[in-house]
Amino acid sequence: MKQTLSLLELNQLLAEVIDVGMPREYWVEAEISELREVRGHCYIDLIEKAEGTNTPVARASAKCWANTWSTVGPLFEKVTGQRLHAGMKVLMLVGANFHPAYGFSWIISDIDPTYTLGDMARKRQAIIDQLKREGVFDMQKELEMPLFCQHIAVISSANAAGYGDFVNQLENNAYGFRFVTRLFPATMQGEGVEQSIISALEKIYKTTLQLPRGGEFEPVSQEASPRGGMEGVFDCVVIIRGGGATSDLSGFDTLALAENVAQFPLPVITGIGHERDESILDMVSHTRVKTPTAAAAFLIDNLKQVWDFLEDAQNSLAANARQRMEAEQMRLVRASEKISPLFSLVKEREERRLDRMMQKIIAAAQQGVSNNKHKIDLIEGNMQPLAMRLMTEQKHRLQMLEQRAQALDPALLLKRGYSITTHNGIVVRDASLLKPGDVIETRVEKGTLESEVRNVLKVKN
């Protein structure tokens, strides 16, 4: 018969082989693909990817029991400033363990935070270098903060205490400045930070494009619609995060978020409560402050500086105006003292000029009259012979017309034996127009005949 083993016996045999063959612990480099805590224990899925790709070449499960995790976890956070999370590279001290009921896993006894710090620093530096190569690292610094920066787009968690502190400090500022804020809620810790803030930035950009001039933002509410009342465009964006552990800041060190903030067309102010280290988001922003209340203080101080500048300008304008008015008043006094003698001198000079002009006008008038009189005499001497010639020509013309009229007199034709026949007072030129019975009149040299037409003879052409 064949020798057989139960599954338990086989697993126990494998456990003995592992205990004998791998009795010591090993430092291993790996990337965390998933991490979860259950009843104080930490369960981690490890992965290794092919260089330059996302293709896994190795996978393993690891466990850190509660008695070890309670020490290793806080120490790691204290040194690195971050909690262990997916995507992080770690150097772990692990030992092989095979349990007949639960299978194989690596048992974690220590985690080297300095290794992760180095990897994080390399990643951060790689992101910074890429941003500089793209030419976007300092783009926010080139933007000018608006003088009257009062319409604020806020990216924060709606329930964060820091957001409430920010709004309260703006509303209750000591100078009575009015700020209008609009919240664009976002996740400010954990793995969703990057995409959540990018989405909020996109909403701010679209809102700015769609908001009509003259609209006003409804404070705090994300869904508020613009309403009339004051000029409505965002002046800047404030990204704030109040409270929470400093270990939740890894989401602010990503390339995609840095690129979006660096190239955003409005100044971006960050106050994410990261006092010890500066995140990449802080580096590319227009202005970095430590806390949400510091962000509010910055905005208030910015407006106060503008107010002070305007007051100084107002005082300077008033002083210059007073000085100018005093100078002009003195000039008028001096001018008035010179008016009397100057007026007499001007009056005398103008009177002499008027006398000269009057003499010239009289001489010119006399010369004009003399010239026109001579012209009239010449015209008068030439008019009489011209009139006689015109009268002679017109008389001869009238005689010629009289002779033509006499030649056309019908009476002359009648004397020659011609007659004129009329019907109803109309001269008859065409016999075919008459009909028998018509009464016609015939005028001869001496008298008129009345006849009745008896027959109309056709005239051959």
Side-chain angles (χ1 to χ4, degrees):
M1 295 181 60
K2 295 180 181 179
Q3 183 178 3
T4 61
L5 297 174
S6 69
L7 179 59
L8 176 60
E9 291 172 335
L10 179 63
N11 284 351
Q12 287 175 340
L13 179 61
L14 179 58
E16 292 175 2
V17 171
I18 290 175
D19 289 340
V20 175
M22 303 181 69
R24 64 185 184 89
E25 295 180 322
Y26 305 88
W27 284 103
V28 61
E29 299 176 357
E31 179 181 328
I32 299 175
S33 65
E34 187 177 345
L35 182 147
R36 57 196 180 279
E37 294 184 46
V38 180
R39 295 191 295 274
H41 307 298
C42 181
Y43 298 87
I44 302 176
D45 291 336
L46 301 176
I47 192 172
E48 181 178 347
K49 298 177 182 176
E51 187 174 356
T53 70
N54 287 322
T55 303
V57 295
R59 294 180 182 273
S61 297
K63 301 181 181 70
C64 187
W65 303 123
N67 59 343
T68 304
W69 180 245
S70 62
T71 303
V72 170
L75 177 62
F76 185 90
E77 289 185 26
K78 181 179 180 181
V79 175
T80 64
Q82 296 193 32
R83 290 178 181 173
L84 287 165
H85 59 79
M88 179 178 285
K89 282 191 174 183
V90 292
L91 179 62
M92 297 180 171
L93 182 62
V94 297
N97 176 263
F98 187 87
H99 191 281
Y102 301 108
F104 179 85
S105 64
W106 295 101
I107 305 301
I108 302 170
S109 59
D110 197 5
I111 302 175
D112 185 357
T114 58
Y115 173 87
T116 304
L117 276 177
D119 183 69
M120 290 166 54
R122 286 191 297 272
K123 288 182 178 179
R124 280 166 55 91
Q125 191 58 48
I127 293 174
I128 292 170
D129 292 342
Q130 182 168 343
L131 292 171
K132 290 182 177 179
R133 285 195 302 272
E134 294 174 355
V136 301
F137 188 80
D138 292 319
M139 286 184 67
Q140 273 283 317
K141 304 296 190 297
E142 297 172 1
L143 298 177
E144 292 187 5
M145 184 68 66
L147 292 179
F148 299 94
C149 189
Q150 295 174 275
H151 290 76
I152 317 299
V154 184
I155 299 178
S156 178
S157 172
N159 299 321
Y163 170 66
D165 295 339
F166 173 81
V167 173
N168 289 335
Q169 187 159 345
L170 287 183
E171 291 179 350
N172 301 312
N173 67 88
Y175 309 104
F177 298 145
R178 183 184 180 189
F179 293 90
V180 182
T181 61
R182 179 170 175 180
L183 175 65
F184 291 81
T187 300
M188 301 306 288
Q189 64 182 23
E191 297 181 7
V193 169
E194 176 189 85
Q195 190 53 47
S196 183
I197 295 180
I198 291 175
S199 177
L201 288 171
E202 291 175 351
K203 291 178 182 178
I204 293 170
Y205 182 74
K206 292 178 181 179
T207 302
T208 302
L209 290 180
Q210 297 171 359
L211 190 65
R213 301 291 294 181
E216 181 179 349
F217 304 126
E218 192 72 42
V220 177
S221 173
Q222 179 188 10
E223 302 300 331
S225 59
R227 53 187 172 84
M230 65 189 305
E231 183 175 345
V233 292
F234 290 118
D235 298 316
C236 72
V237 178
V238 174
I239 302 176
I240 53 177
R241 171 187 179 274
T246 59
S247 59
D248 294 329
L249 297 172
S250 59
F252 300 100
D253 281 337
T254 67
L255 176 63
L257 179 57
E259 287 177 331
N260 275 269
V261 170
Q263 299 178 79
F264 202 72
L266 296 177
V268 177
I269 302 168
T270 58
I272 56 178
H274 199 188
E275 298 185 9
R276 185 179 61 181
D277 296 319
E278 186 177 31
S279 68
I280 295 177
L281 179 63
D282 291 325
M283 295 178 186
V284 300
S285 65
H286 181 280
T287 301
R288 180 248 178 165
V289 295
K290 292 182 178 181
T291 62
T293 53
F298 171 80
L299 293 171
I300 296 170
D301 185 62
N302 178 73
L303 201 56
K304 180 62 167 58
Q305 291 179 13
V306 175
W307 179 262
D308 291 341
F309 172 79
L310 292 177
E311 282 193 332
D312 292 342
Q314 180 181 2
N315 295 334
S316 178
L317 286 172
N320 290 336
R322 286 194 299 270
Q323 184 178 359
R324 183 63 181 271
M325 289 177 64
E326 292 173 358
E328 291 300 317
Q329 187 174 5
M330 292 177 62
R331 189 175 66 84
L332 288 174
V333 171
R334 290 194 298 269
S336 64
E337 294 172 350
K338 298 178 181 179
I339 287 176
S340 181
L342 287 174
F343 178 75
S344 300
L345 180 62
V346 171
K347 179 181 178 183
E348 183 179 350
R349 184 170 63 244
E350 291 300 314
E351 285 178 348
R352 289 198 300 268
R353 188 173 67 84
L354 289 174
D355 289 341
R356 290 194 298 270
M357 290 179 63
M358 183 62 71
Q359 293 174 4
K360 290 180 180 180
I361 291 172
I362 292 173
Q366 291 175 347
Q367 182 66 35
V369 171
S370 176
N371 293 339
N372 289 328
K373 184 178 180 182
H374 177 68
K375 289 180 181 179
I376 292 172
D377 291 341
L378 292 175
I379 293 171
E380 185 179 359
N382 295 329
M383 283 182 65
Q384 187 171 1
L386 180 61
M388 293 299 294
R389 186 171 67 251
L390 290 174
M391 289 177 65
T392 301
E393 291 175 355
Q394 294 300 321
K395 183 177 180 181
H396 177 69
R397 182 170 175 274
L398 288 173
Q399 290 175 351
M400 295 296 293
L401 292 173
E402 183 178 3
Q403 291 176 4
R404 291 179 183 176
Q406 290 176 356
L408 297 174
D409 188 356
L412 295 177
L413 295 175
L414 296 177
K415 287 180 181 181
R416 295 175 186 172
Y418 293 99
S419 64
I420 299 173
T421 301
T422 62
H423 176 250
N424 295 330
I426 300 173
V427 176
V428 178
R429 292 185 174 84
D430 186 357
S432 64
L433 298 176
L434 300 175
K435 61 183 180 293
D438 287 342
V439 177
I440 59 175
E441 291 183 353
T442 303
R443 181 182 175 187
V444 297
E445 178 183 3
K446 295 180 180 180
T448 302
L449 303 175
E450 186 176 276
S451 307
E452 181 179 341
V453 178
R454 296 178 62 187
N455 189 21
V456 179
L457 300 178
K458 294 184 179 180
V459 180
K460 294 181 180 181
N461 295 330

